[in-house]
Each structure stands twice: as structure tokens, then as C-alpha cells.
Amino acid sequence: MSSLSPHQQFLGLTDSPVSSLSSPSSPSFPDTFPSSTHRNPQTTAYDILHNPNNQLEFSGEKHKEQHSSLVTSGCKHLAQFKKQRRRVLDDEVVIDDDDRWDLFNSYRSLVRYSLAWHKSRKQLQNINTSDRKRKQYKELSLPQCSKCLDPLSRLHVCLHCVHMGCWRKGHIQDHMREKHHVFAMDFNHRTLYCNECGDYVYDNELTDVIVRQETIQSESRRRKRVRTANTSWEPTSQEISTIIKNSTIPSCQGLRGLCNMGNTCFMNVILQSFIHNPLLKAYFLSDQHNPTRCNNKFCLCCEMDNLFAQVYSGKKEPYGPCTFLHSMWMSLKELAGYAQQDAHEFFISALNNLHAGCEGNSLSTNCTCIVHRTFAGLLQSNVTCLKCGNVTSTKDPMLDISLSLRTVEKKKKISSNNKVATTAGGNTNSQQHTNSSNNPASFIRRLKQGNTLMDCLDRYTHPEKLGPNEYSCSKCGNTFQEATKQLSVKRLPPVLSFQLKRFEHGISASKIEAKIKFPVDLDMTPYTTHGKQQQKSKNPGMTTENPNLYTLFAVINHQGKIDTGHYTMFSKHRGEWFRFEDHNVTTTFQKDVLDSKAYMCFYIKKSLEYDDELFE
Amino acid sequence: MSSDSDKLRLALSRHFVDSGEKERLMNLLRNRLAESGWNDTLYAQCRETVRQRKLENVTLDELVKESSDFGRSSVNENIKKELLVQIKKYLDTAFDS
């Protein structure tokens, strides 16, 4: 007698989640892991929020009427199954083992299988996957329609029995009708289909407890270094009652306009970029800087804490960050006054002041304040003597990367001299170049004229010849030699900030309006120190999971002339893009964001590692 | 009864999925469509449909059927060409092996 669902037996699974699926007879098959069956359910946020013993006030004033909606299921058929299951769990009802079909177990096994299968196919396409892994992946059987053997046509898996059917030819619907089976899962999207309702149903409990948990588990990477084992937190009933008695669920609406208090749009855009910065948000919303315990005067961290509280207060009308501005003025007298400032300068000053306000900050390069943990990286500068090949490296800390646009501007001047027809955006030659062309001639052309963020980074990290008498080589008897200098990123910060140097100060103050194309997803590998070494040795020994991938979350734009312009910004909030112009917050499309002429861009790492990997 | 071409198509589909090529091309297509803003326009279109018909009256399947024509016709020609080239390349290698 086995308490495994038919799926678990078919797929060779036990209750233990496997990070690499293997058959029970293989030696890598794990045999111990906390059971995921209902006997000891891992308590998730859903379980605490929807505990039937919660008081009504827990859902908050506004949601009293909606309280009932919090506990409904995706559909009434699902509700029925859940009710029955609860009664079995509470031992109110005793059923035969034959009837012991558990929707939760089946769904969990299938979600796990789908995740593992898709991951395996991705890895098979990766040339760096080991042969041993390839063999393991090939062992996973091809999901196919039980009737017509087609692996395409939107496959669905029945939750009640071992049967797969394709959607387009109606095979899964036929099966469900014939056998009176109600639920099926779309194999590719892992969504639940209810045949009685005739539609897909979305259930909070299943999504949180099953889909989300399994997805997180399947994406966690195996690490070489041993860390302390994760212990799950099971709240005691005392803790549960304390939480319920003393808290209400606040709104997760984190959108609020900021009032322009007189040319303060430069500050508003930077503040919005902080508000939508996932790491800063997590730090300040989890009360890690408590103003009641802070003794600093005009402390910017206290102001940030206050700002987040205001933004997440649920109030819709715009907020005026006067106290923040006041504290900034007190810390930096040069900023005081109502003239327009440069947003990037404000950004750097704000970061420095925030760092100063953090407890436990230090002046060394390994400061662990929230500013450095979020923004700090390390830039390496290698100077190579062209005579003896000796390389001297220096490492400099950085909070952001400022990219020069000089060559792009030069290119435009040349084209207009030759009277080449330009498009409205002035992008002529560069449009014909794709980054996939690798021959040296096109690379040099791109290097000189390319107008994408990657081209700017190429220029930034390209070896640059030092002038005569600029470098004296210790190995060549301290004589002046010809040398090249090359920059690369030694350590990448979790949040990568770019400034495109559009403003030239000096005798002729001017602004470069050239449009620089920037991507939604950015791979920084070619610009890292390690990446440059790999390029040189032509060794494609990349790790299969790339920790250098970033995704865009905020863009700052400047319109107008250098001194009389206006700042606006775009930011991503809960998966959607919004445009922020002082007190105006509007929805927008990703395309508009990518089409804009960016002044600053903020990227965040797609997967964050633990500290011990950052400090090599 | 299935003809020879049906059998061939099925065998190809199976190899296509099993080798992971389908997964790879899907990812490529997803990235290209996202870059071109196709996601956004289709999202807006679907939103309109749901708003008109009211959420309770629309099933996912119906939404897909109604939006398919629009979705298919609004894909950039370049993307179609690029995918076709990739598929052709795959077919050449699949027939060789």
C-alpha cells in the first residue's frame, strides 16, 4: 500500500522533491527530505493569512466586505474538493485508501515534473552541460498525448489519472468527459483547468503553496560551499495570535506621485528610482533603519524610512518630500537653493549621505551598509607595458558607471557633413549593424559609432593607448614606455546604475541628444574582468547559470536644454511600467520606455547570490 | 489511418521537442516579441475584449480564439523571417541525423 498518487508512481517520484529527477533505482535518488505531504505542511504566507481563526479586522478596514473573497477558491468545484480534503485531514471523515486521491499531491508532482522537464531541455541545448547530466536529462520521458502521441498542440495532463491529452485536437477534453475527471494542468504553463467550469481557474492557495514553492525550489542552485541548513519557521500559536492582534494587512500599492517644490524634479526622479529599487525597498520596508533608535541629526536614512512609509500608506494624493529636501540641504550646503540641479549629482550625494547615516558603515571597500550592499562594485584598471608585457592592476570602488557619448556625437557630425540622409533620430549607419556580426571591420565600426548601451560599454572597456610619458614601467628600468590601459568590472553590484554623459560643462555647456538604445535584459559578462580573460583565452568554459544577467527596472529622462530642462522617469512596479512626472503617475508600455532618450538607467541582477561569493 | 506525411510530421515533432530545440526557439521568439512591443499591443487588445464582455463571460479559450488573428497579423516580418531561418536550419540538421 502506498500513499503515492498514481502520478508519483508513474513518474518514479516519492514525496521527496528532487532537484534532478532520476529513477528510483539510480544511486543519486535522494532518500531523506522533510516530507511534503499533508502530515507536516510547510506553512506558507497563505496559510497564515487565510487561517479560518483569524479575526475579521485582520483583513483591514477596507476589506471587511471582501473578507469572504479572500477564502474562496478558484472555482466552486475546487472549493468542494478542498472542503472534502480538509475533512479528511481533520479526521472527520475516513475514506478508503483507494479513494485517497489528493489534488494537492497530484498537482505538486506535475508542477515539479513540468519544471524539471523544461529545465532539462534548456540544459540539453547548452553546450557546456556535462555528459553525465545529459544522460540524466535524456532519461526523462517525452510528454506526449496518450491518444495521438503528439508532443505539441498544447498538452494537458489529467490530475486524476495518468493521462496526457492535447488541447487542439480535443483529446484531453474527450478524456475528461469520458472518465468524469475534473481537473487538468497545462503542461507548459502549469495552470489549472476545470472541465466543469470550462475554463482555467486561478486559486491563491494552490498558486502560493504549490506552484510558487516548486518554482523557487527548482531554480535554487546547488552550491559548492556548505552553508547553514535552512530551517523553516513554524510560528507558535502565541506568535500567530500576536501577529493577528497587532497588525493589519496594508495596501501593497507602492505608487505615489511626488510634488515638485520648485525645480525639484531632479530629486523626485532619483527618489522614485530609490522607491522602486527592490533592495532599498526591502531594507526600508522591513524597518531595518528605525528612526526611533537613530540619533543622527538630519539623518537621510530616517528620511528614506519616512518616504517609504508615506508611499506605502495607501494614500493616493501626491506627497511632498520637504523634510527629505531639508535634510539634504543641511548635509550639503552646496545643494541648498531653488536652482535646478543635476539628477546624477544628486544621486551620488544622496548615496553618500545615506551611507553616512547607516549604522555600522565603514570607510573600507567592504562596507556593509545598504548603499554599498546595493550599489557598490569594483572597477579594475590594467595597464600593460607594450615593451615587456608587464601588467599592473589597480582596483577602484564604484557606485555607478558613467559612460561617455563623445564618439557617438562625432559620428553624427561626420554624417551631416557628408549630407547623408538621416532619420529623425539620427541613427543611420548603426541601424545596419547587428551585434551578431563578429568580423573585425564591423566591430571597429561599431566601436567608433555604435549607439547602443553595449557599444558604450565596449568603448568603456576597450584598451586605450596611454600617451608618451604617461607610464613608467618598473620592469623596464623605470623608463617611460608605450602602454595600454583597460578597464573592466571586477565585481558587479546587485544594482547596476548607468549614467550616459549627456552634459558637457565648461566653456561651451552643451547637451548630447543622441538616442542610445538600451536593452531590457543585459548580460555584463563581456565587460567583467573574468569575462575579458575568457575572451582572451578563447575558452568558452562558462558556468551554465549566468550570474551576470541584469534586467532593467528604472530609466531617468531629461528633456530640454542643459540648464532649463525637465526630468521624468519610468519605473517598473509589480511587472508593469509606469511613467513618473512629479505628481503625475501614468501607465505606459515597455516600448515607450525603450524608445526614450535615457539619461540614467538602473538594472538589477536577475539572481542574487549570497555574500560569500562577492568577496573572492 | 495516418499517411506517411502525417507519420513524418509526428516523428519530427517528437524530435523537435525532445532535443530541446522547441524550448530554445520559444525563448528566442519570446525575447524578440517582447523587444518589438508585441506583448504590449496584444495585452491592450485582450484587455479591451475582456472589458467589453465582462470577466465572468470570457473563458481563456475564447479570448485566445478572438485575439489569435490580431496576434498573428501584428508580428513583425523580421521576426517571422528570423524564426523561419532557424527552423529551416533545424530541419536540415534533423534530416541529416
Side-chain angles (χ1 to χ4, degrees):
Chain A
M1 182 278 289
S2 154
S3 65
L4 299 177
S5 76
H7 296 100
Q8 290 171 315
Q9 294 176 51
F10 169 68
L11 298 172
L13 303 172
T14 64
D15 297 333
S16 19
V18 285
S19 50
S20 67
L21 279 182
S22 49
S23 65
S25 51
S26 106
S28 62
F29 198 70
D31 47 356
T32 51
F33 196 88
S35 162
S36 62
T37 62
H38 47 258
R39 242 160 278 127
N40 260 325
Q42 266 196 308
T43 313
T44 65
Y46 181 91
D47 296 317
I48 299 182
L49 284 176
H50 295 102
N51 190 318
N53 299 326
N54 287 352
Q55 299 164 359
L56 266 181
E57 289 77 39
F58 187 54
S59 333
E61 284 299 313
K62 286 192 193 151
H63 302 289
K64 259 196 196 142
E65 329 85 57
Q66 293 163 28
H67 173 74
S68 55
S69 73
L70 280 178
V71 291
T72 51
S73 305
C75 76
K76 59 185 177 198
H77 310 101
L78 208 49
Q80 221 175 349
F81 269 111
K82 284 211 230 177
K83 205 165 156 195
Q84 169 80 336
R85 179 177 180 264
R86 196 112 286 265
R87 292 169 71 202
V88 171
L89 285 182
D90 295 340
D91 284 329
E92 282 172 27
V93 170
V94 174
I95 58 174
D96 300 329
D97 281 331
D98 295 335
D99 291 339
R100 217 173 232 284
W101 168 78
D102 190 353
L103 172 79
F104 277 58
N105 275 348
S106 298
Y107 194 34
R108 190 184 287 278
S109 331
L110 291 174
V111 166
R112 206 179 284 169
Y113 190 70
S114 166
L115 286 166
W117 195 84
H118 282 102
K119 191 175 179 188
S120 75
R121 268 30 193 183
K122 213 181 228 174
Q123 299 293 56
L124 276 182
Q125 285 282 326
N126 187 338
I127 49 169
N128 294 318
T129 310
S130 67
D131 286 331
R132 180 181 64 90
K133 284 252 177 76
R134 265 178 211 278
K135 204 159 155 244
Q136 264 183 349
Y137 293 143
K138 294 245 165 95
E139 274 178 30
L140 291 174
S141 50
L142 175 73
Q144 60 200 315
C145 176
S146 305
K147 192 155 182 193
C148 64
L149 303 181
D150 193 348
L152 299 169
S153 311
R154 261 209 275 162
L155 259 190
H156 283 67
V157 198
C158 177
L159 248 62
H160 303 250
C161 70
V162 181
H163 189 276
M164 287 194 184
C166 52
W167 177 271
R168 300 217 190 101
K169 290 175 238 173
H171 292 156
I172 187 69
Q173 295 96 322
D174 292 339
H175 164 83
M176 292 173 95
R177 217 179 330 116
E178 281 165 36
K179 299 275 170 134
H180 302 292
H181 288 168
V182 186
F183 298 107
M185 179 187 87
D186 178 324
F187 188 74
N188 290 321
H189 297 103
R190 294 177 280 278
T191 45
L192 196 64
Y193 177 76
C194 171
N195 201 35
E196 298 289 317
C197 295
D199 197 8
Y200 291 88
V201 295
Y202 306 97
D203 183 271
N204 285 334
E205 186 178 2
L206 289 177
T207 311
D208 189 26
V209 169
I210 294 178
V211 181
R212 193 172 165 271
Q213 276 208 330
E214 292 298 325
T215 309
I216 290 173
Q217 264 185 344
S218 96
E219 280 176 15
S220 63
R221 290 145 47 184
R222 260 161 295 143
R223 316 200 75 88
K224 291 180 213 158
R225 295 189 213 190
V226 175
R227 296 195 311 268
T228 47
N230 175 47
T231 45
S232 58
W233 171 64
E234 297 275 353
T236 63
S237 49
Q238 165 86 343
E239 284 168 338
I240 290 178
S241 66
T242 310
I243 293 174
I244 292 173
K245 213 162 57 130
N246 297 313
S247 54
T248 54
I249 304 178
S251 152
C252 47
Q253 165 87 314
L255 291 173
R256 205 170 171 192
L258 297 173
C259 304
N260 187 324
M261 300 173 304
N263 276 331
T264 57
C265 53
F266 69 92
M267 174 178 77
N268 288 344
V269 290
I270 296 293
L271 290 185
Q272 292 286 10
S273 77
F274 287 161
I275 289 164
H276 292 93
N277 182 319
L279 296 181
L280 293 180
K281 177 166 73 174
Y283 182 82
F284 285 102
L285 282 180
S286 58
D287 202 34
Q288 295 209 37
H289 183 92
N290 194 332
T292 57
R293 297 221 194 111
C294 176
N295 293 325
N296 297 335
K297 219 176 168 198
F298 305 121
C299 172
L300 269 191
C301 287
C302 294
E303 294 299 337
M304 280 290 273
D305 183 82
N306 179 44
L307 179 69
F308 273 101
Q310 287 290 338
V311 170
Y312 281 86
S313 62
K315 296 189 197 142
K316 295 262 171 73
E317 68 277 8
Y319 169 68
C322 335
T323 49
F324 193 101
L325 188 62
H326 179 70
S327 294
M328 271 301 276
W329 284 356
M330 291 298 120
S331 322
L332 268 175
K333 304 289 193 291
E334 311 89 70
L335 278 186
Y338 284 104
Q340 172 82 277
Q341 315 274 348
D342 177 43
H344 180 256
E345 265 184 52
F346 180 83
F347 171 65
I348 298 292
S349 310
L351 290 186
N352 285 326
N353 277 335
L354 281 169
H355 157 84
C358 286
E359 212 179 74
N361 65 39
S362 76
L363 290 172
S364 76
T365 50
N366 291 342
C367 173
T368 53
C369 75
I370 186 59
V371 169
H372 285 94
R373 270 189 284 144
T374 305
F375 295 98
L378 216 51
L379 217 52
Q380 182 160 314
S381 169
N382 286 345
V383 180
T384 313
C385 173
L386 288 179
K387 187 160 185 201
C388 67
N390 181 39
V391 180
T392 28
S393 317
T394 44
K395 297 194 189 93
D396 293 308
M398 53 96 160
L399 288 174
D400 73 335
I401 297 183
S402 291
L403 298 168
S404 163
L405 303 182
R406 261 279 145 226
T407 41
V408 181
E409 201 217 19
K410 269 196 191 137
K411 168 213 88 173
K412 280 180 64 190
K413 286 214 176 111
I414 293 169
S415 349
S416 58
N417 282 342
N418 292 338
K419 295 209 170 68
V420 174
T422 56
T423 59
N427 303 331
T428 52
N429 307 321
S430 36
Q431 269 182 350
Q432 296 159 10
H433 304 159
T434 56
N435 281 340
S436 55
S437 59
N438 277 328
N439 64 73
S442 74
F443 177 71
I444 300 290
R445 225 180 311 140
R446 254 192 301 121
L447 197 68
K448 292 209 173 125
Q449 301 160 8
N451 66 344
T452 69
L453 184 71
M454 284 76 80
D455 293 327
C456 293
L457 280 168
D458 276 328
R459 285 192 284 269
Y460 188 74
T461 56
H462 197 71
E464 162 200 335
K465 199 123 179 253
L466 293 179
N469 297 358
E470 267 196 69
Y471 172 68
S472 83
C473 178
S474 52
K475 292 255 168 80
C476 296
N478 285 327
T479 53
F480 285 120
Q481 299 293 343
E482 284 203 324
T484 57
K485 177 172 104 161
Q486 185 175 33
L487 292 173
S488 59
V489 184
K490 174 73 179 160
R491 192 209 309 160
L492 286 165
V495 171
L496 195 50
S497 319
F498 291 108
Q499 179 206 22
L500 301 175
K501 295 201 279 200
R502 293 186 178 280
F503 301 113
E504 309 262 282
H505 301 275
I507 303 167
S508 61
S510 65
K511 179 184 174 193
I512 302 174
E513 289 276 3
K515 161 118 182 279
I516 304 291
K517 283 206 277 230
F518 50 95
V520 167
D521 289 328
L522 176 65
D523 185 357
M524 284 295 289
T525 313
Y527 315 109
T528 57
T529 314
H530 186 70
K532 294 273 177 204
Q533 284 168 350
Q534 297 235 305
Q535 267 175 14
K536 271 214 190 106
S537 65
K538 294 217 173 25
N539 172 24
M542 267 294 299
T543 48
T544 52
E545 282 137 342
N546 189 349
N548 303 328
L549 289 175
Y550 286 81
T551 191
L552 185 71
F553 73 89
V555 177
I556 292 181
N557 302 313
H558 178 270
Q559 289 116 344
K561 296 216 190 80
I562 184 170
D563 278 330
T564 59
H566 182 51
Y567 283 101
T568 58
M569 65 95 69
F570 292 105
S571 187
K572 207 165 177 181
H573 178 70
R574 299 180 79 195
E576 285 205 49
W577 284 97
F578 291 87
R579 183 173 182 272
F580 297 83
E581 183 172 357
D582 290 323
H583 53 274
N584 271 328
V585 181
T586 50
T587 53
T588 185
F589 285 138
Q590 184 173 277
K591 190 155 190 291
D592 296 327
V593 180
L594 297 177
D595 278 344
S596 67
K597 286 191 192 169
Y599 174 46
M600 291 176 75
C601 309
F602 296 90
Y603 287 85
I604 188 162
K605 256 194 203 181
K606 277 182 147 174
S607 77
L608 297 171
E609 307 105 9
Y610 282 83
D611 273 346
D612 55 21
E613 280 213 333
L614 291 177
F615 298 90
E616 295 169 26
Chain B
M1 304 292 113
S2 60
S3 65
D4 278 339
S5 64
D6 285 340
K7 286 202 192 113
L8 180 63
R9 176 172 261 190
L10 184 64
L12 262 178
S13 302
R14 294 167 67 89
H15 183 265
F16 185 53
V17 176
D18 209 10
S19 62
E21 181 69 8
K22 181 204 168 210
E23 191 79 14
R24 188 183 76 85
L25 289 184
M26 276 295 250
N27 273 331
L28 178 66
L29 180 62
R30 269 191 208 112
N31 287 335
R32 291 286 180 262
L33 289 174
E35 281 167 12
S36 73
W38 180 84
N39 289 351
D40 296 328
T41 42
L42 186 66
Y43 184 67
Q45 170 80 356
C46 289
R47 217 182 203 169
E48 254 323 292
T49 311
V50 173
R51 190 173 295 163
Q52 280 170 10
R53 307 227 333 230
K54 297 273 171 351
L55 187 61
E56 309 84 60
N57 302 334
V58 192
T59 66
L60 182 65
D61 208 32
E62 288 168 11
L63 190 63
V64 167
K65 286 201 182 100
E66 275 198 40
S67 318
S68 285
D69 292 330
F70 176 81
R72 283 208 184 92
S73 59
S74 60
V75 178
N76 225 328
E77 280 306 312
N78 298 340
I79 300 177
K80 285 186 193 169
K81 281 191 199 145
E82 187 180 354
L83 262 293
L84 278 174
V85 164
Q86 294 279 329
I87 293 173
K88 250 184 150 198
K89 236 200 255 180
Y90 160 74
L91 287 175
D92 289 332
T93 52
F95 275 116
D96 288 339
S97 62

